Amino acid sequence: MKLYGIRIFVDDLDQAKLFYRDTLGLPVVWEMEGTAIGFDAGAQLIVEPVAPDAGPEDRALVGRFVGCSLQVDDIEETYRALSATGVLFDSLPEKQFWGGTLAHFRDPSGNVLTLLGT
């Protein structure tokens, strides 16, 4: 068994594509027009839209903590570079008791992802 992908739900797929591809620099692996986009993040990071008229249960999938950590070689440098492009971070990179460093950031739909540095 292995991890295939992590699904992230957004309210604007076009805006998400620009963010994940151009801002974060994740290559697009596949795209189903208007339905989903797969990005190469080690395992596939799959971004799917939730329609504006979707029910409350589906709308609740957008803008939440994803629990997805993207590992980078230099977290301080990556933090500065992404901040300069307008990526919104919840806090500065913070060293964790277990040795890694984390910084949480938000995509355009408000989903919270994590940068991981060692």
Side-chain angles (χ1 to χ4, degrees):
M1 226 183 287
K2 70 176 187 173
L3 178 64
Y4 170 77
I6 297 168
R7 295 166 64 200
I8 298 174
F9 297 92
V10 299
D11 51 17
D12 186 326
L13 191 60
D14 292 331
Q15 188 178 34
K17 181 179 180 180
L18 293 174
F19 179 79
Y20 286 96
R21 183 192 65 197
D22 300 344
T23 303
L24 297 186
L26 299 175
V28 173
V29 178
W30 54 264
E31 185 170 356
M32 296 172 62
E33 190 66 35
T35 305
I37 304 170
F39 297 91
D40 183 359
Q44 289 187 24
L45 185 69
I46 304 163
V47 178
E48 299 180 36
V50 173
D53 60 349
E57 187 174 299
D58 287 339
R59 297 290 312 146
L61 296 171
V62 177
R64 61 186 181 151
F65 181 77
V66 177
C68 173
S69 296
L70 300 171
Q71 187 173 15
V72 296
D73 292 331
D74 185 333
I75 194 167
E76 296 293 337
E77 178 183 320
T78 304
Y79 170 82
R80 283 191 299 275
L82 291 177
S83 293
T85 67
V87 173
L88 300 175
F89 281 86
D90 290 350
S91 63
L92 297 169
E94 185 177 329
K95 189 78 167 174
Q96 303 297 303
F97 72 92
W98 46 267
T101 301
L102 301 178
H104 300 293
F105 66 96
R106 296 180 183 272
D107 74 3
S109 292
N111 293 301
V112 180
L113 293 97
T114 306
L115 282 185
L116 166 65
T118 53

